[in-house]
Each structure stands twice: as structure tokens, then as C-alpha cells.
Amino acid sequence: MTASFSEKIYYQYLYIAVLSIMIIKWEQIHQTPILGREGVDSSLKKTLAIGLTAALIGISSIIPLTGGEHVYAEASAVGTASTVLSQGMSGSSVGSLQSNLKILGYFTYPNNTAYFGSITAQAVRDFQQAYSLPVTGSVDTATQTSISHALVKKQIVADASNYMRVPYVWGGATPDGFDCSGFISFMFNKFGVTFNRTSSSDMAVMGTSVARAGLQPGDWVFFALNDPGVISHVGIYIGNGEFISATRSMGIYIQKLDNSYWGPKYMGARRFY
């Protein structure tokens, strides 16, 4: 992030003030003027250091606030993906977090500030609640992983519609033709989420169970199409109460979860990856 004009002034004054104080301390210890007998006298240098410090404090008070999110320079960047990000931190890792949460629709502030303020903390809490994580407002490894996985699944959902109307082929797992589990296997593997091709009933025990009210894009939704209570179909939830799957009648197609055909046959959902 590029520092603002006031930030640049702030750090320039900081450098000069610290340098002046260091000169004074050196001269006090060694009783030798750094600038020599013809240099600036001690009282003037002390006055300069005090004046610069006062200016530093004044400038720091006017660095702009933007909707509760301070803007900070990159010098305070925080660490790696294993670092717990929390309120009050700043730097490129926080900027990346804000960008990712914006893509997922949780960070709605117009600009990324790279500062972890109250707006960012609320976005994190909203994400954690949506993905059944401990709602702390801080970003630990589990939250970072969930955000990363959610971004991949958002890509999967976006790309899935490119295969609309590809015909149904029993056992198919290529763009020439898909069955329901073959389509999901193809889409997830395409984006680096690998698992062995299997049946919808086997997929129904993979990952973790998700309540219908907690569905998120990329979750798997299951249906009993043939025998009541026996899972025989799976699709990818895409949001807004809709899912995409390979159907015998229309090939790859988007349907409403609660329509008159699919609603009564719904058997639950799983979150894999």
C-alpha cells in the first residue's frame, strides 16, 4: 500500500527526531560534540529535538481515519499465513485478508486499508458464523484455511455454469458427458481439489455435515430420486437456494432446492474441502 502524504511527513519527522536524540546522548556520554566546536550548540540541539518530537505527535494525530479503519504504511506489515491476525494489526497480510473477504462478500468497505479495525473484525466474525467456525473476530489457521477453501469453491461455482446443457452420460466425467458424481469430481479436480471418483451415496459420508440453513457455495447437496431415503443424486450448491447438477433430462442444469420436484427429495448436505 502507498503511504499517504501525511504518513510520509510523519516518518520523516520521526527519523530526524530520533537522530537528534541519538546525537545528544552520544555527546553526553563522550563529552565531545559530534559537529565539533563550530557546530550546533547543545541547547539548540535539545530545542530542535523537543520541537521535532512535538511536531511528530501533532502530525500523528491528523493521519486520516477512514470509517474507523486507520491507514498505515507498509513498514508495519505482519507475518505469514500461520500468524493469527487480530484487531489492531496492519500490513500486507491484513490487506490480503480484506481482499479475500471482499471477494467472498463479507468485507464491504469500499477500500482495502491494510489495517485490522472494527470493520474487518466484523467481516471476519460474519464469515466465521457462516462457516460454523468459532466466532472470535480473529483469523487463526482454521479461519485462514476456510477462507482459502471458500475462494477455490467460489471459482468452481463460477466455472460450473460454463458446462450448462452438457449431456448426461452414465459414468461420464468429462465435458463430453457427465453423470452427477462425475460432474462434481471433474469440477473439484479441475481446481486442484483431488479425490477419487465415487458414487453419490459414498460422497454423502465425505467431509462434514451442513445444515440447510448453513449452506455455502460449493457445498454438496444430496437427493433420493429413486427409493425414499436412499441417496442417488448429488449437486453443487451455488447460493440463493440453487444448485447445479447433471440431470438425465437436461444435462448440466441449475435448479431450485425447494421446488416441487427437488424439495421433497432433499436428503442433506456435506462440506468437502
Side-chain angles (χ1 to χ4, degrees):
M1 184 178 96
T2 303
S4 67
F5 175 75
S6 58
E7 288 174 318
K8 292 176 180 177
I9 297 294
Y10 176 87
Y11 287 108
Q12 288 169 357
Y13 270 97
L14 176 62
Y15 174 77
I16 296 170
V18 171
L19 182 60
S20 299
I21 293 168
M22 288 175 65
I23 290 172
I24 293 169
K25 289 296 182 183
W26 193 94
E27 291 180 345
Q28 288 173 344
I29 293 170
H30 296 278
Q31 298 183 350
T32 304
I34 288 177
L35 298 179
R37 295 184 183 274
E38 303 297 323
V40 181
D41 64 33
S42 177
S43 62
L44 182 56
K45 282 181 281 190
K46 288 180 181 178
T47 302
L48 176 62
I50 293 169
L52 286 170
T53 302
L56 179 64
I57 294 169
I59 292 171
S60 69
S61 69
I62 62 170
I63 290 180
L65 292 173
T66 315
E69 299 273 343
H70 288 269
V71 181
Y72 282 76
E74 280 299 321
S76 57
V78 294
T80 64
S82 61
T83 302
V84 175
L85 301 177
S86 58
Q87 194 162 347
M89 301 178 78
S90 60
S92 58
S93 294
V94 177
S96 295
L97 169 67
Q98 291 172 338
S99 295
N100 291 337
L101 289 174
K102 186 183 290 288
I103 291 170
L104 295 172
Y106 294 94
F107 185 72
T108 57
Y109 190 73
N111 304 312
N112 291 351
T113 65
Y115 176 74
F116 200 128
S118 59
I119 297 172
T120 304
Q122 186 59 55
V124 170
R125 284 191 290 268
D126 291 344
F127 176 86
Q128 290 170 329
Q129 184 171 20
Y131 281 81
S132 302
L133 298 165
V135 181
T136 63
S138 297
V139 183
D140 58 7
T141 301
T143 300
Q144 289 177 8
T145 299
S146 291
I147 291 172
S148 175
H149 289 184
L151 290 168
V152 173
K153 287 184 283 190
K154 183 177 179 67
Q155 290 181 290
I156 290 172
V157 166
D159 188 48
S161 61
N162 291 326
Y163 299 92
M164 289 281 285
R165 295 290 190 175
V166 169
Y168 181 92
V169 174
W170 188 85
T174 73
D176 292 331
F178 297 107
D179 67 9
C180 63
S181 58
F183 178 58
I184 293 178
S185 174
F186 171 83
M187 291 305 307
F188 274 71
N189 277 275
K190 179 179 178 179
F191 286 88
V193 184
T194 59
F195 63 93
N196 293 328
R197 164 70 192 278
T198 186
S199 67
S200 57
S201 58
D202 288 337
M203 292 172 68
V205 295
M206 297 168 63
T208 58
S209 179
V210 181
R212 185 164 179 163
L215 283 169
Q216 297 297 329
D219 289 342
W220 298 346
V221 287
F222 297 90
F223 304 87
L225 300 187
N226 302 321
D227 301 317
V230 179
I231 290 172
S232 57
H233 189 76
V234 60
I236 302 172
Y237 184 71
I238 63 172
N240 298 317
E242 296 179 327
F243 71 100
I244 188 169
S245 70
T247 64
R248 292 181 183 273
S249 59
M250 292 179 286
I252 303 300
Y253 205 71
I254 294 173
Q255 306 274 4
K256 286 285 188 181
L257 271 178
D258 59 358
N259 70 20
S260 59
Y261 178 79
W262 294 99
K265 296 175 172 59
Y266 180 78
M267 292 293 293
R270 308 288 291 188
R271 182 165 297 153
F272 180 80
Y273 188 74

